[in-house]
Amino acid sequence: MRLKAYAENYRLNNLEKEKERQRESKKGSREKNREAYNAYMREWTRKNKDVINARKRELRRLNPERARLDNERRKAHYASNPDRHRDERLKSVYGISLNEYREMYVSQEGKCAICGTHRPDKGKEGLVVDHCHSQGHIRKLLCVNCNTGIGQFRDDVQLLAKATDYLKLTNPKG
């Protein structure tokens, strides 16, 4: 009985020291090979995306007030610095900066590369970045309609040519 009391007392007195030692050992292993750890976490996240998203949906369902507050906070954050948010999004999705986007916009004179309609530099009415899904490279800036149209044809040139031939045959205007 006395030994149990001693062990329990020792455990309580050294609990903080043990927690600190565990934190340091975890921190040390991550810091030693940060790139490998980051690569592992990216891969783990990619493999478990469905589980992660299901967990997030469930948390939002169980606590709608928190979800509403999170959405408001996120909107306020984006509204406080829209250029920074746009730059981060362009980098994460397409690998280009906002400055590179703007250079493309100026070189195209603010016009869609396909239909030539002029669009503003901002907002949903603006030009979007067209990219090759199989190769990943950036092509040009397009209006939403042209970009969606190409996407619907799955970037397939032959399928698009067939659609063009079909329109030529069935369009009374010629």
Side-chain angles (χ1 to χ4, degrees):
M1 189 68 148
R2 189 170 179 193
L3 192 55
K4 281 184 178 179
Y6 175 79
E8 181 63 19
N9 196 20
Y10 179 84
R11 188 186 70 75
L12 290 174
N13 288 337
N14 292 294
L15 191 61
E16 283 304 313
K17 288 180 187 175
E18 181 62 26
K19 285 182 181 177
E20 183 62 33
R21 189 167 57 241
Q22 287 175 355
R23 276 194 296 268
E24 286 301 317
S25 70
K26 286 180 183 177
K27 180 181 173 185
S29 65
R30 289 182 188 163
E31 293 302 320
K32 287 176 189 169
N33 198 348
R34 174 54 72 181
E35 284 304 314
Y37 176 76
N38 287 347
Y40 166 78
M41 288 307 295
R42 278 191 297 272
E43 183 63 22
W44 182 89
T45 303
R46 187 185 65 74
K47 285 181 180 176
N48 294 289
K49 194 170 194 129
D50 294 337
V51 174
I52 294 167
N53 288 338
R55 189 179 302 145
K56 286 180 181 179
R57 277 192 299 275
E58 183 64 16
L59 286 173
R60 285 193 301 270
R61 187 186 66 77
L62 293 174
N63 196 343
E65 181 62 19
R66 180 177 173 193
R68 185 185 64 74
L69 290 172
D70 284 347
N71 286 340
E72 287 177 5
R73 189 182 70 244
R74 194 176 306 112
K75 285 178 185 176
H77 172 73
Y78 295 152
S80 68
N81 196 342
D83 281 349
R84 186 175 128 216
H85 170 65
R86 192 173 178 200
D87 186 51
E88 289 172 358
R89 177 147 173 77
L90 286 168
K91 282 180 183 172
S92 68
V93 176
Y94 304 111
I96 64 170
S97 68
L98 181 56
N99 289 336
E100 291 171 308
Y101 171 89
R102 288 189 172 143
E103 287 172 10
M104 292 173 67
Y105 184 84
V106 169
S107 72
Q108 289 182 214
E109 300 174 353
K111 296 177 183 175
C112 172
I114 294 176
C115 68
T117 49
H118 187 272
R119 299 291 180 168
D121 184 21
K122 295 190 181 207
K124 293 180 181 177
E125 302 85 33
L127 297 176
V128 296
V129 178
D130 179 41
H131 67 287
C132 175
H133 288 265
S134 59
Q135 303 292 319
H137 66 275
I138 304 298
R139 293 190 279 230
K140 292 203 174 203
L141 302 179
L142 302 177
C143 67
V144 174
N145 291 336
C146 291
N147 192 48
T148 305
I150 287 177
Q152 293 297 320
F153 285 102
R154 299 179 295 282
D155 296 350
D156 187 339
V157 176
Q158 287 145 351
L159 190 58
L160 198 53
K162 287 180 181 179
T164 304
D165 292 342
Y166 168 78
L167 285 175
K168 287 178 182 175
L169 289 174
T170 59
N171 193 352
K173 292 181 182 177

